[in-house]
Amino acid sequence: DTEVTQTPKHLVMGMTNKKSLKCEQHMGHRAMYWYKQKAKKPPELMFVYSYEKLSINESVPSRFSPECPNSSLLNLHLHALQPEDSALYLCASSQGQPRLGETQYFGPGTRLLVL
Amino acid sequence: KQEVTQIPAALSVPEGENLVLNCSFTDSAIYNLQWFRQDPGKGLTSLLLIQSSQREQTSGRLNASLDKSSGRSTLYIAASQPGDSATYLCAARGNNDMRFGAGTRLTVKP
């Protein structure tokens, strides 16, 4: 299995809603990442987990809350989002040494619309 | 802060042409440089990764080079095909971050 899967594919939520994005991989990777990509812009790194510990938080607002319950699963909990948070949210994984610069494998993304 | 620039922003070529996409970065202290392909509304597919100690990598019709000292990488696509149409992104991996360029949108016309 060489895939990173993300659910849901699409999500529409109001500004008062609470929702979660899910990312899963079964490649034995120990590093997982969340990126945000606005339309026609490059992806921007949000969070990095290495061995289930948060190692990088790129000053992301607290309305985004990541969680890594185990080495295969990465969640992004969303609460009180703003319309400008609408974007494609991409998850990625790599073998486990992010600082050494490994190949990252990306999921298809969740397209989020905040109304 | 690392800045990554890709030129051109868009490129349209007839099928069969060889082409070069350019990527430049401001901080040469990188671990690696990775090239990705992204189809509209989709995730990223890794094409080639060049470690900082390497000069180039090849995969099929793709060849990527890296010149750390000048802060440049190029992606060479040989004998382009309509299926190559996509946005190509380069990303420079540093100590604590991974910075992407804005991408080159490639269209290969039959």
Side-chain angles (χ1 to χ4, degrees):
Chain A
D1 187 351
T2 57
E3 265 192 346
V4 177
T5 59
Q6 290 187 243
T7 54
K9 285 187 169 48
H10 302 275
L11 179 62
V12 180
M13 60 187 290
M15 290 189 283
T16 58
N17 292 156
K18 284 185 182 181
K19 297 286 184 183
S20 296
L21 309 184
K22 180 179 171 182
C23 174
E24 203 161 0
Q25 56 84 18
H26 296 286
M27 294 180 277
H29 289 173
R30 302 306 298 270
M32 296 185 77
Y33 311 76
W34 279 116
Y35 289 84
K36 174 182 177 178
Q37 185 178 25
K38 302 278 282 182
K40 299 190 187 302
K41 298 290 187 184
E44 295 178 348
L45 184 63
M46 298 174 72
F47 301 105
V48 180
Y49 273 85
S50 180
Y51 291 82
E52 294 99 71
K53 290 186 180 176
L54 182 64
S55 62
I56 298 176
N57 176 344
E58 294 281 327
S59 301
V60 178
S62 59
R63 57 186 184 268
F64 295 91
S65 175
E67 180 197 18
C68 191
N70 60 61
S71 60
S72 300
L73 189 55
L74 184 66
N75 298 319
L76 186 62
H77 303 297
L78 314 173
H79 173 55
L81 294 194
Q82 304 295 312
E84 59 263 29
D85 296 321
S86 299
L88 180 68
Y89 288 83
L90 294 163
C91 173
S93 71
S94 67
Q95 279 192 318
Q97 297 291 335
R99 293 181 187 278
L100 298 182
E102 310 159 312
T103 297
Q104 292 188 19
Y105 297 87
F106 281 77
T110 292
R111 186 159 298 283
L112 174 67
L113 177 62
V114 182
L115 300 176
Chain B
K1 181 178 167 179
Q2 178 75 275
E3 291 185 7
V4 181
T5 305
Q6 290 188 245
I7 294 173
L11 182 62
S12 181
V13 300
E15 181 177 3
E17 269 203 12
N18 302 326
L19 56 100
V20 175
L21 307 181
N22 296 292
C23 172
S24 61
F25 46 96
T26 55
D27 185 354
S28 61
I30 62 171
Y31 285 121
N32 65 38
L33 193 293
Q34 194 164 356
W35 283 93
F36 294 89
R37 169 190 172 135
Q38 187 172 32
D39 292 288
K42 305 290 185 184
L44 280 68
T45 300
S46 178
L47 298 174
L48 289 165
L49 181 147
I50 313 175
Q51 300 290 0
S52 62
S53 57
Q54 297 173 323
R55 298 283 293 181
E56 66 177 323
Q57 282 288 325
T58 298
S59 176
R61 294 183 293 108
L62 305 179
N63 176 276
S65 67
L66 175 64
D67 184 341
K68 269 185 55 175
S69 60
S70 65
R72 292 184 182 178
S73 177
T74 61
L75 178 66
Y76 175 82
I77 303 177
S80 59
Q81 303 171 356
D84 295 330
S85 298
T87 295
Y88 290 80
L89 296 149
C90 67
R93 185 60 186 266
N95 189 29
N96 279 315
D97 64 8
M98 183 154 163
R99 300 284 174 183
F100 284 80
T104 294
R105 191 171 66 255
L106 174 66
T107 303
V108 181
K109 297 175 287 187

